[in-house]
Amino acid sequence: MMGERRIEQPALFYEFSLDGHVPQDHLLRAIDRFVDLEGVRAHLAPFYSAIGRPSIDPELMIRMLLIGYCMGVRSERRLCEEVHLNLAYRWFCRLGLDGDVPDHSTFSKNRHGRFRDSDLLRELFESVVRRCMAEGLVGGEGFAVDASIIRADASRHRTAVDGAAGLPAEAAGRAIEEYLAVLDDAAFGAATPVIPKYISLSDPASRWTAAQAGPASFAYCTNYLIDLDHAVIVDVEPSTAVRQGELAACRTMIERANDRLGLYPERLAADTAYGTAEMLDWLVHDQGIEPHIPVFDKSQRDDGTFSRADFSFDHQADAYTCPGGKLLKSSRRAFKVPRNAQPADDTIRYRASTHDCQPCSLKTACCPNQPYRKVTRSIHEGARDMARDIAKTDAYITSRRERKKVEMLFAHLKRIVGLDRLRLRGPNGARDEFLLAATAQNLRKLAKLVQQQPHASPA
């Protein structure tokens, strides 16, 4: 028999518990036990006035932002709608059933003001890393570093001008002010002297690049420094989308992880982009870190003649020996005062004698088009040799395999977190988004790996 809806007198009182309507296996319930925002108010106190109308609770805004990046809701307008309607989101934000959700414009106002002035998002990220350390998820012995390109919120056609012409004098805006402020930053303007093909007027700090799949576009790089034990992100830094910017960001992250978190790795795994002579020398001699990194080397010849690897180097004599047994020296004159000046391009040139090369039977396989053979050697070649020796060990093979964990994090960042294109503009906007995304990834890691204990209902 067909049922019939019966109109009854509504109850005068309801007993309703949000906690009882959030499933025990819900992601936010698993994450909530690791979100400690007790220090947020103390951290932000100097940035609020002691008088006036009470502001929106900063803890509420942080919890809402964490929901957005953990659940892939990156639009702040949509985030406010979702929190208003979703019971689990209200439970996580401690709003109850009748709590008011702040307007989306509140986020923009605080992000450009108090949050950035106080570096709150960096503090939030590091508090989660410290929790990972306390839970035993960070070993601190082996790190890996890599970068991934994230498209900027900048049109390829409407707001692009020729890079050689530079920004027009009348250009103005917050993103342009931030761009001018980072021109001397090693990870941005000072990373490379190469003039970009195009500059975006809406976000000039982003870089025109074709390094990613698809058509060229404006983009930033997000740089991750991870611990190899459980792939916890121990630091994150934005940079311009060029290799030199990635190297500068890597140095910044290693130094900051040591200064602020007390993490100092024994070894660092990375791809060939980080195997430059200067970077390897910095790791080996300045930081004392073993570089488990392929050496960036272009000395191998493909025309059938001898490459530099066919010449043996004698450290004591400071000379190369060619396959024919002759010496190549950096200088053949005896100076009264030794010349120890460092070469301008950090490269020492070793030359053979014309009298040795001309009658040599191996000349056609060595220097057929030159009167004598020259071999170059970087002043940082010692660090490069150390990296080559490490590459022959079993530990290096293990590091190369574990390094893939950082690439998996980038895949998770783009597919699950949804950060394949930035919504905010300028270096500060990129930093905010990258920090929040990395914080969300670490929280999800904690929720997955740390067994959940009986959870008390929130007030």
Side-chain angles (χ1 to χ4, degrees):
M1 184 175 71
M2 183 181 297
E4 180 181 356
R5 184 173 69 91
R6 298 184 178 184
I7 302 176
E8 298 179 358
Q9 180 179 359
L12 295 178
F13 302 98
Y14 286 95
E15 290 185 3
F16 188 91
S17 171
L18 274 180
D19 184 69
H21 286 74
V22 179
Q24 293 298 318
D25 59 351
H26 197 283
L27 175 62
L28 291 181
R29 186 182 287 279
I31 287 175
D32 183 67
R33 54 201 167 110
F34 302 112
V35 179
D36 182 8
L37 301 178
E38 291 183 1
V40 169
R41 293 180 178 277
H43 187 79
L44 286 174
F47 300 89
Y48 281 88
S49 174
I51 58 175
R53 188 178 64 178
S55 69
I56 300 295
D57 185 1
E59 179 178 342
L60 170 60
M61 288 187 284
I62 292 299
R63 285 185 174 272
M64 290 180 65
L65 288 173
L66 288 177
I67 290 175
Y69 281 83
C70 285
M71 309 304 291
V73 184
R74 296 184 51 244
S75 166
E76 290 165 359
R77 186 186 296 270
R78 183 187 163 201
L79 176 62
C80 292
E81 296 173 355
E82 293 288 338
V83 172
H84 178 71
L85 297 173
N86 193 299
L87 294 180
Y89 295 176
R90 280 185 167 273
W91 173 86
F92 185 80
C93 292
R94 313 295 193 259
L95 279 174
L97 284 176
D98 54 356
D100 293 330
V101 178
D103 188 77
H104 66 88
S105 62
T106 306
F107 290 96
S108 176
K109 203 172 287 187
N110 283 274
R111 182 175 60 246
H112 294 305
R114 300 182 183 97
F115 288 2
R116 286 182 184 170
D117 293 341
S118 64
D119 205 11
L120 177 65
L121 299 183
R122 167 68 60 182
E123 186 69 24
L124 175 67
F125 168 77
E126 291 180 353
S127 69
V128 175
V129 176
R130 292 187 185 96
R131 182 61 185 269
C132 292
M133 295 168 62
E135 296 290 346
L137 301 185
V138 178
E141 297 179 356
F143 283 1
V145 65
D146 205 354
S148 184
I149 293 176
I150 306 294
R151 288 181 299 156
D153 183 25
S155 172
R156 297 192 303 122
H157 307 290
R158 297 180 181 177
T159 60
V161 296
D162 184 67
L167 289 173
E170 65 275 10
R174 180 184 288 111
I176 292 177
E177 293 175 1
E178 293 182 12
Y179 164 71
L180 296 176
V182 299
L183 283 178
D184 295 329
D185 194 313
F188 287 96
T192 172
V194 178
I195 298 175
K197 185 176 181 179
Y198 299 111
I199 296 178
S200 170
L201 295 180
S202 56
D203 192 354
S206 61
R207 190 81 176 190
W208 178 262
T209 177
Q212 57 184 346
S217 62
F218 293 103
Y220 287 92
C221 268
T222 178
N223 298 267
Y224 277 6
L225 182 68
I226 73 165
D227 182 82
L228 289 175
D229 277 7
H230 293 92
V232 171
I233 305 167
V234 297
D235 207 342
V236 56
E237 181 74 7
S239 72
T240 188
V242 295
R243 181 169 59 86
Q244 294 88 340
E246 298 171 17
L247 299 181
C250 176
R251 296 189 184 195
T252 298
M253 291 189 294
I254 290 176
E255 292 174 344
R256 185 164 53 205
N258 183 25
D259 294 340
R260 302 185 64 155
L261 299 172
L263 295 174
Y264 194 79
E266 296 178 2
R267 65 187 189 278
L268 178 71
D271 59 25
T272 312
Y274 297 84
T276 63
E278 296 83 0
M279 186 66 188
L280 293 174
D281 182 76
W282 181 80
L283 287 172
V284 173
H285 295 119
D286 293 354
Q287 300 297 312
I289 300 174
E290 291 184 3
H292 289 220
I293 305 172
V295 177
F296 186 81
D297 191 356
K298 292 186 176 182
S299 64
Q300 187 67 29
R301 293 189 172 188
D302 56 5
D303 59 356
T305 59
F306 295 139
S307 299
R308 185 173 60 193
D310 298 312
F311 294 73
S312 59
F313 184 72
D314 186 340
H315 289 273
Q316 187 172 2
D318 188 26
Y320 276 98
T321 302
C322 73
K326 304 300 182 181
L327 292 179
L328 288 78
K329 300 180 179 180
S330 59
S331 176
R332 293 184 175 273
R333 294 176 58 187
F335 296 97
K336 293 182 179 180
V337 179
R339 296 188 175 184
N340 298 320
Q342 181 173 313
D345 58 355
D346 294 342
T347 301
I348 304 173
R349 291 161 179 80
Y350 295 82
R351 298 175 176 83
S353 170
T354 306
H355 299 291
D356 291 335
C357 288
Q358 290 298 333
C360 182
S361 60
L362 300 175
K363 188 175 188 304
T364 55
C366 185
C367 53
N369 301 321
Q370 296 176 344
Y372 57 88
R373 179 60 189 264
K374 294 184 292 185
V375 173
T376 59
R377 179 180 176 86
S378 170
I379 62 173
H380 309 300
E381 199 67 26
R384 287 157 59 94
D385 289 341
M386 180 178 178
R388 294 187 183 100
D389 292 338
I390 292 175
K392 302 174 184 177
T393 64
D394 293 337
Y396 175 83
I397 297 175
T398 302
S399 294
R400 296 296 296 166
R401 182 176 64 251
E402 292 180 335
R403 192 192 68 82
K404 296 179 182 178
K405 293 178 180 179
V406 68
E407 297 175 356
M408 295 172 64
L409 282 170
F410 288 139
H412 182 272
L413 174 72
K414 295 178 181 181
R415 298 190 62 181
I416 306 301
V417 179
L419 188 60
D420 59 347
R421 181 187 177 98
L422 294 172
R423 289 186 60 255
L424 307 181
R425 292 174 176 172
N428 287 331
R431 182 178 292 108
D432 290 351
E433 292 217 58
F434 295 160
L435 280 169
L436 282 169
T439 302
Q441 287 183 286
N442 280 344
L443 285 171
R444 293 176 70 111
K445 180 78 65 176
L446 279 165
K448 179 181 179 181
L449 297 181
V450 179
Q451 186 175 3
Q452 188 166 358
Q453 301 297 325
H455 183 79
S457 299

